[in-house]
Amino acid sequence: MSPDIYAEDFSAAVDYLGTRPFVDRNQIGVLGICGSGSFAISAAKIDPRIKAIATVSMYDMGEVNRSGLTHYKEFKPMTVEERKAVLAEAAEQRYVEFTGGKTKYTSGTTHEITADTPAIQREFFDFYRTPRGEFTPKGSSSELTTHPTLTSAVKFVNFYPFNGIESISPRPMLFIAGEDAHSREFSNDAYKLAGQPKELYIVPGAGHVDLYDRVDLIPFAKLTSFFKDHLK
């Protein structure tokens, strides 16, 4: 995992689309969902070919790895000392893997629900550990899906997608979040920092994962009008 590679994927997509004869290269927008929302912003800051940016259920993948979900009662924010301990462990793990040792994985979606499982983990379990959204690539296993390696996850500590977000202006930005989403704090923060034109759109009764696949809650009309208005 690398935030730089994930952000580069958006620009690589623009490379491709902008060289197709049926595409107006001056009218390309991007949509980023969950963590990809922060990657889309990171890409747009340095790629002016991206003319309109929308995010849905956005996660700031830098902040959540540095500090956790700081506005959510079920999770205690990570302290600086706790973060240093994780970084030290990951640094030593690099030696292990460089010399042929076993890869260590971290975080990700829980594999079972118990009475003590927090609501956020239950929400992700309902998507990633059920037929609703479960996918295991060929050659992998469900024990590894959604789990990053420890040594790659710490790279996100250096990822600050909202720094300089105001420089995207005057290209328009739309931030969509569920009313009940635990991740709403990230869209709120990005909206406050972004330049004009910008819009924060809250979906009533929706959680975080709901906006992945609940077609009755996803605001398709809002997304359509946003891109039609700004990519004419």
Side-chain angles (χ1 to χ4, degrees):
M1 293 175 61
S2 166
D4 290 337
I5 291 175
Y6 287 144
E8 170 60 21
D9 286 344
F10 281 94
S11 289
V14 176
D15 295 342
Y16 176 79
L17 290 171
T19 53
R20 300 307 96 185
F22 54 84
V23 173
D24 181 348
R25 64 171 56 179
N26 294 311
Q27 299 296 333
I28 295 175
V30 300
L31 168 63
I33 300 171
C34 192
S36 288
S38 60
F39 304 141
I41 290 171
S42 182
K45 288 192 299 183
I46 60 172
D47 193 338
R49 300 175 302 169
I50 297 173
K51 303 301 184 182
I53 303 93
T55 69
V56 175
S57 290
M58 178 173 58
Y59 250 72
D60 177 345
M61 295 301 292
E63 184 59 21
V64 78
N65 277 278
R66 282 187 296 273
S67 304
L69 293 166
T70 57
H71 298 172
Y72 202 77
K73 62 184 179 181
E74 285 191 343
F75 289 85
K76 180 182 177 183
M78 182 182 292
T79 67
V80 173
E81 290 307 313
E82 288 171 334
R83 185 189 312 142
K84 287 182 176 180
V86 173
L87 295 177
E89 181 186 4
E92 289 301 314
Q93 181 63 23
R94 291 183 66 105
Y95 286 131
V96 173
E97 294 175 19
F98 183 79
T99 55
K102 186 177 180 180
T103 301
K104 187 169 185 176
Y105 295 86
T106 186
S107 60
T109 311
T110 186
H111 289 269
E112 63 177 17
I113 296 293
T114 69
D116 298 324
T117 303
I120 293 175
Q121 292 184 19
R122 289 175 182 272
E123 183 181 11
F124 281 117
F125 181 96
D126 187 55
F127 185 84
Y128 289 109
R129 300 299 179 207
T130 71
R132 178 182 169 194
E134 184 173 7
F135 174 73
T136 301
K138 185 177 180 180
S140 186
S141 76
S142 60
E143 294 301 310
L144 300 182
T145 55
T146 80
H147 297 290
T149 63
L150 174 62
T151 56
S152 67
V154 295
K155 296 181 186 301
F156 287 90
V157 172
N158 266 351
F159 182 53
Y160 292 86
F162 299 166
N163 282 8
I165 190 175
E166 72 281 357
S167 67
I168 294 174
S169 176
R171 290 173 287 157
M173 303 190 74
L174 170 64
F175 307 99
I176 296 175
E179 178 184 26
D180 304 321
H182 65 268
S183 57
R184 183 173 168 178
E185 61 181 275
F186 300 126
S187 293
N188 289 340
D189 291 345
Y191 174 75
K192 290 175 184 176
L193 294 169
Q196 295 288 354
K198 61 183 177 180
E199 182 176 358
L200 177 63
Y201 185 86
I202 303 300
V203 181
H208 175 85
V209 174
D210 288 331
L211 299 184
Y212 289 7
D213 66 339
R214 301 297 193 200
V215 295
D216 57 325
L217 290 173
I218 297 171
F220 292 109
K222 184 63 183 178
L223 286 163
T224 299
S225 64
F226 172 74
F227 285 115
K228 280 189 173 181
D229 289 345
H230 295 291
L231 300 175
K232 296 179 180 179

